[in-house]
Amino acid sequence: MQRDTRQRRAIRRVFMDTGRPLTPDEVLVMGQQQVHSLGLATVYRNIKILHEEGWLAEVELPGGGTRYELAERPHHHHFLCRECDQAYDVHNCPDQVEELAPPGFTVDGHELILFGLCAACS
Amino acid sequence: MQRDTRQRRAIRRVFMDTGRPLTPDEVLVMGQQQVHSLGLATVYRNIKILHEEGWLAEVELPGGGTRYELAERPHHHHFLCRECDQAYDVHNCPDQVEELAPPGFTVDGHELILFGLCAACS
DNA sequence: ATATGTGCAAACTCTTTGCATGGAG
DNA sequence: CTCCATGCAAAGAGTTTGCACATAT
């Protein structure tokens, strides 16, 4: 059974207020602004729970550890800026991606990552 | 100046003979079939050198460490099997991916990963 | 009152580095 | 004979776990 602790509430709020994929360490720093005593292990444990619940989705981008973002959002992809290393959402999706797989392969999901310079760094 | 050691030759051969993205640990196991004394640090050191030389390309896929594959090959993408966790090449590519980015963003590269079951695991 | 959650520190995994020895040139 | 490369073991990063205490219910 789930308890509603200050730490868990702070971690959830960080994700809801931020709207882009975050590393555990980013969550720690941002969460400590609400709960100063917040520890890294607590962040990892809660991210794990929230991910298992389906509240968070894993985002794996090159260069660095796994990031997480809110799960229950429309299908989208990511843009990774080579300059500032921030991840942005991309709300368009190429069609008929499933047909790109070799014969005999069953596709049940896909991830597309665009690289380049974001609007701010261009 | 580069020396031509048994270890380095074995590591290069593993990549040339395999043709799919490999983790350092996979390279170790396969390379030890040629050079029994091969150590993991040597694998990491040589992968680093071969990557800096542009002979290997990094492939970052969810679930596990960075994989590597031969660099000088035609543009392609990857399929990750959820069952056996092996990465396969996908030689098709969706068109006009650059146009998916938000206005003001400059795209200079992209990566597409398909998930599902490979032919062997279906 | 009870049992889950937290914080700390130790353990673990993956990767890198220091050092003495080995071997390519 | 010189140095670069190797193997081992120790050191670093990122992540997970054990334990005693705190706290939501």
Side-chain angles (χ1 to χ4, degrees):
Chain A
M1 212 231 100
Q2 286 267 334
R3 290 183 187 181
D4 184 29
T5 62
R6 285 179 310 140
Q7 290 83 345
R8 187 163 296 162
R9 229 176 299 131
I11 291 167
R12 269 196 291 244
R13 179 162 309 157
V14 165
F15 281 105
M16 289 189 292
D17 289 354
T18 306
R20 62 178 180 83
L22 297 174
T23 61
D25 216 72
E26 288 177 307
V27 175
L28 176 69
V29 172
M30 298 172 86
Q32 283 178 335
Q33 293 170 11
Q34 297 174 59
V35 180
H36 184 267
S37 69
L38 184 63
L40 187 53
T42 299
V43 171
Y44 273 103
R45 273 189 282 239
N46 278 288
I47 283 178
K48 187 165 187 242
I49 290 169
L50 293 168
H51 178 229
E52 285 167 357
E53 279 180 358
W55 197 82
L56 282 179
E58 268 184 3
V59 181
E60 304 223 25
L61 303 175
T66 307
R67 304 173 196 222
Y68 296 86
E69 64 178 0
L70 292 182
E72 304 272 328
R73 302 168 63 215
H75 180 72
H76 65 280
H77 296 301
H78 295 101
F79 181 102
L80 187 61
C81 180
R82 296 197 196 270
E83 187 70 23
C84 65
D85 201 52
Q86 276 214 359
Y88 296 86
D89 286 359
V90 173
H91 292 284
N92 298 310
C93 179
D95 297 324
Q96 304 177 325
V97 177
E98 301 74 21
E99 298 171 12
L100 300 175
F105 283 55
T106 313
V107 177
D108 62 22
H110 66 275
E111 173 67 56
L112 174 67
I113 304 159
L114 302 179
F115 302 97
L117 294 179
C118 71
C121 293
S122 283
Chain B
M1 215 231 96
Q2 284 266 335
R3 288 186 187 178
D4 185 27
T5 62
R6 284 181 310 140
Q7 290 84 343
R8 187 163 294 161
R9 230 176 298 131
I11 290 167
R12 269 195 293 244
R13 181 163 309 157
V14 166
F15 281 105
M16 289 187 293
D17 289 354
T18 307
R20 62 179 181 85
L22 298 173
T23 61
D25 215 72
E26 288 176 309
V27 175
L28 177 69
V29 172
M30 300 172 85
Q32 282 177 336
Q33 293 170 11
Q34 299 174 58
V35 180
H36 185 266
S37 68
L38 184 61
L40 186 54
T42 299
V43 171
Y44 273 103
R45 273 188 283 240
N46 278 288
I47 284 178
K48 187 164 188 244
I49 290 169
L50 293 168
H51 178 230
E52 286 166 357
E53 280 180 356
W55 197 81
L56 284 179
E58 268 184 2
V59 181
E60 303 220 29
L61 303 174
T66 307
R67 304 173 195 225
Y68 296 86
E69 65 179 0
L70 293 182
E72 305 270 329
R73 301 169 62 218
H75 179 71
H76 65 281
H77 295 299
H78 296 102
F79 181 102
L80 186 60
C81 180
R82 296 195 197 272
E83 187 70 24
C84 65
D85 202 50
Q86 277 213 0
Y88 297 86
D89 285 359
V90 173
H91 292 285
N92 299 310
C93 179
D95 298 325
Q96 304 178 322
V97 176
E98 301 74 21
E99 298 171 12
L100 300 176
F105 283 55
T106 314
V107 176
D108 62 23
H110 67 274
E111 172 68 56
L112 174 67
I113 305 158
L114 302 179
F115 302 96
L117 294 179
C118 72
C121 293
S122 284

